[in-house]
Amino acid sequence: MSKKEDIYKDDFIKELMKDVELEDPSAQFTNRVMDMVMQDWLAKPIEMKKPISRNQWIWISGLILLVVLILLGTDVRTLISSAENPFLHQLDAVLLQPINQVLTKVFDSLIKLPVMVYIVAVSFGGLVAFDRIVNKLLHH
């Protein structure tokens, strides 16, 4: 639309509305509207869900801790053991070496498990995940 058409429409609307008187709402108008809003809200209240539940935070924290432990027990220990710093050698002896030994034992025992155990574990995890997804879809 051009500005000329807008001006004509504006003038036309002003001409139509010049004889119309504005009405003031009653004194109780705001109270009635707010009462209707409150009744609507009470009939179906708004539910706010937390973006991440407490259980999910526990799982996330556990996974982060596991990754940190694995990194401390492997890559970081390799870097620190090659350094020529007494503090780092003490840190390696007190903290990193025991973590590395525990992780080495855990991984050695996991390697000795038969392949069928891994297949069953992955299958079970897949079924659990599938069950959760289906339940969420059905209940929403």
Side-chain angles (χ1 to χ4, degrees):
M1 266 187 232
S2 68
K3 284 188 176 185
K4 214 174 210 183
E5 289 176 0
D6 286 342
I7 291 172
Y8 290 131
K9 286 182 181 180
D10 191 39
D11 290 340
F12 177 71
I13 292 172
K14 285 181 183 176
E15 184 68 31
L16 283 176
M17 299 300 290
K18 74 178 180 182
D19 295 332
V20 177
E21 292 182 28
L22 292 177
E23 295 180 15
D24 289 330
S26 67
Q28 296 299 318
F29 175 77
T30 304
N31 290 337
R32 285 196 310 256
V33 169
M34 292 308 293
D35 285 342
M36 289 182 347
V37 168
M38 183 60 81
Q39 292 300 324
D40 186 45
W41 183 78
L42 289 174
K44 49 182 178 176
I46 299 170
E47 294 181 17
M48 294 293 293
K49 291 185 177 181
K50 295 179 184 176
I52 298 178
S53 69
R54 185 176 185 184
N55 194 18
Q56 289 171 331
W57 277 116
I58 291 171
W59 277 103
I60 291 169
S61 301
L63 287 174
I64 290 173
L65 180 65
L66 180 66
V67 168
V68 167
L69 285 175
I70 290 172
L71 287 175
L72 284 177
T74 56
D75 296 337
V76 175
R77 184 172 183 278
T78 305
L79 292 172
I80 289 179
S81 63
S82 64
E84 295 297 326
N85 187 325
F87 172 73
L88 294 179
H89 283 290
Q90 188 69 18
L91 179 69
D92 182 43
V94 172
L95 179 68
L96 299 178
Q97 194 172 14
I99 291 174
N100 189 340
Q101 290 171 351
V102 168
L103 289 174
T104 302
K105 288 179 186 175
V106 168
F107 289 131
D108 284 343
S109 63
L110 287 176
I111 289 172
K112 294 176 185 173
L113 290 174
V115 175
M116 186 53 91
V117 173
Y118 296 113
I119 293 172
V120 169
V122 169
S123 300
F124 181 73
L127 286 173
V128 169
F130 179 74
D131 181 55
R132 284 182 167 232
I133 291 169
V134 168
N135 279 333
K136 282 188 179 185
L137 291 175
L138 291 176
H139 290 98
H140 282 262

